[in-house]
Amino acid sequence: MKVAIGLYLIIGIGCQSQPTTVKSNFTVENDTNLQKNYTALCERIVKTTKKKSLEQIPSFLECCLRDSVFAYWYDTPWDFYGTSEEPKKGKIACGYFVTTTLKHLGLNIDRVYLAQQASSVLIKEVCDANSIKVFSNSHYANMKKYVKEHEGKIFIAGLDNHVGFIVKEGDEMFFIHSSGIPPHKVVKEKVDDASLLVYSKYHMVGHLDFKNWARGLKNS
C-alpha cells in the first residue's frame, strides 16, 4: 500500500547560519523504504553537524528536529511499552519518542535508561538547567506564558504521567508527543488543544538548548 508523505529534507552543507529546508512530496512504497530514507537523513544530520561552527549547530539541529525528524514519526502508534527505533514500525511510548528522536540527532544519551525514568530526570539530563521551571496546581496558563516569553524554540514538557516536546513556530506553539489517549499515536497538536498538556496538574519544562551539546556533537 502506498502512503503519501510530505517531508522536509535538510540541505546543511556550507557556512549558512541557518540550514536550508526543501519540502519534498514523494510516495513511500513500504516501511523498508521509509526507514532507509530516515536512516539516511539522520546520518546526514550527524555528518553535517560536524561541519557546522559551534554557533551554527543549535539552530541547525532545531530545524532538523522540528522540520524533518518529527515528520517521519507522525502517526507511529503509541504503546505504554513501545520501544521502537523505526518510525511507523512497531509502537513507541512517550518517553521513548523523546529519547529516540534526540539520540538520532546525535546526542550522546542513554535512550533506554532516560525513557524509563521520571520526566524530571530526562529534562535535567538534556535541557539547560537555568531554564527548567516547575508549575504545579494545574497552572497551565503560567507554564504557557513562560515558554512563550522564553527565547528558546524547543522545550521538553514533563506532565503528570507523560512527556513530550513543546515547539514554537512563529506565533504558534505545538505539543508534539506520543499520545497515550486517542488517537494513540505520535501527533502534533496546538498546545491549547492538547488535553494531556492543558489538564495536567504538574508541568515541568526545560529549554532544549543545543548549545550545551554543540562541542560534543562536533567532536564526536
Side-chain angles (χ1 to χ4, degrees):
M1 177 179 180
K2 296 182 179 181
V3 182
I5 302 176
L7 298 173
Y8 288 86
L9 303 182
I10 296 295
I11 310 299
I13 307 301
C15 298
Q16 300 169 324
S17 60
Q18 295 286 343
T20 302
T21 58
V22 180
K23 189 173 184 179
S24 176
N25 291 305
F26 59 94
T27 299
V28 176
E29 298 288 346
N30 53 48
D31 289 342
T32 301
N33 288 342
L34 175 69
Q35 182 58 33
K36 182 179 179 180
N37 291 333
Y38 179 70
T39 299
L41 170 69
C42 295
E43 290 175 350
R44 189 184 320 130
I45 289 172
V46 172
K47 290 179 180 179
T48 304
T49 298
K50 297 179 186 298
K51 299 178 182 180
K52 295 288 184 181
S53 69
L54 294 177
E55 292 74 22
Q56 292 173 324
I57 287 173
S59 60
F60 173 68
L61 290 180
E62 285 177 354
C63 289
C64 290
L65 185 62
R66 182 191 66 222
D67 297 337
S68 295
V69 173
F70 286 155
Y72 277 87
W73 283 94
Y74 293 142
D75 295 328
T76 302
W78 168 90
D79 184 79
F80 184 81
Y81 298 104
T83 63
S84 177
E85 294 186 76
E86 301 180 22
K88 295 182 176 66
K89 183 176 181 180
K91 299 180 180 181
I92 193 161
C94 61
Y96 275 95
F97 170 65
V98 174
T99 62
T100 300
T101 51
L102 295 181
K103 183 75 173 181
H104 289 172
L105 282 183
L107 270 63
N108 183 23
I109 60 174
D110 189 327
R111 180 187 84 99
V112 174
Y113 170 78
L114 288 177
Q116 294 176 349
Q117 304 307 305
S119 58
S120 59
V121 176
L122 169 59
I123 291 170
K124 290 176 182 178
E125 176 71 18
V126 303
C127 294
D128 175 22
N130 293 326
S131 72
I132 297 173
K133 299 288 184 182
V134 174
F135 301 85
S136 56
N137 299 320
S138 303
H139 282 174
Y140 164 72
N142 292 344
M143 183 278 297
K144 179 183 175 182
K145 181 175 184 291
Y146 170 72
V147 172
K148 184 176 182 179
E149 293 177 351
H150 195 284
E151 63 180 5
K153 301 296 183 184
I154 301 179
F155 297 76
I156 296 178
L159 311 177
D160 292 339
N161 297 291
H162 194 56
V163 65
F165 296 94
I166 296 179
V167 178
K168 293 158 66 174
E169 297 181 12
D171 294 330
E172 292 190 294
M173 294 166 54
F174 298 90
F175 190 44
I176 299 174
H177 61 119
S178 185
S179 179
I181 64 173
H184 294 110
K185 61 184 180 179
V186 177
V187 292
K188 177 181 181 180
E189 305 174 282
K190 289 185 178 181
V191 289
D192 289 341
D193 296 333
S195 57
L196 285 172
L197 183 67
V198 173
Y199 297 111
S200 179
K201 295 181 179 180
Y202 170 88
H203 300 85
M204 181 178 189
V205 294
H207 175 220
L208 184 57
D209 188 355
F210 289 113
K211 290 180 183 178
N212 297 332
W213 296 90
R215 191 173 300 278
L217 288 168
K218 185 173 179 64
N219 297 327
S220 61

